[in-house]
Amino acid sequence: MEDQETDGDLPREVAWLCREGDSPIRAWREHLGVTPEELARRLDISSAAVAQFEARSARPRAATLKKIGAVLGISWELLRRER
């Protein structure tokens, strides 16, 4: 029986947010309880830059995803849209 808290290899909340149109970055950030301001502080960037990374049309580079993954404590591959 599948775990009630996951959808495949993703937490159910993250999978649902991505299906609803949120970027994987935003979905994971919200799932982990990190505010946009906190993520910006951890990355030493502006909140506006975080908003750009989280935009539906955004396609951050792998290097950027690796930095975000590191500060969120997750694998950067979980942040790719091609999942």
Side-chain angles (χ1 to χ4, degrees):
M1 186 165 106
E2 185 176 307
D3 185 330
Q4 296 297 316
E5 297 298 316
T6 63
D7 185 357
D9 62 343
L10 293 177
R12 187 156 291 179
E13 178 185 22
V14 172
W16 181 81
L17 289 169
C18 288
R19 280 193 302 273
E20 290 295 307
D22 284 345
S23 72
I25 295 170
R26 182 174 180 169
W28 275 101
R29 177 184 57 72
E30 289 186 3
H31 174 71
L32 296 170
V34 177
T35 66
E37 296 78 17
E38 175 64 14
L39 182 57
R41 187 190 65 72
R42 291 181 190 182
L43 292 168
D44 197 26
I45 61 174
S46 69
S47 293
V50 169
Q52 289 177 343
F53 293 145
E54 292 185 347
R56 288 184 185 193
S57 61
R59 297 285 184 252
R61 297 178 316 153
T64 301
L65 296 177
K66 288 176 183 179
K67 289 177 187 175
I68 295 169
V71 301
L72 291 177
I74 61 173
S75 169
W76 72 275
E77 287 136 339
L78 293 171
L79 300 173
R80 296 184 321 190
R81 284 193 182 267
E82 299 82 36
R83 296 187 46 75

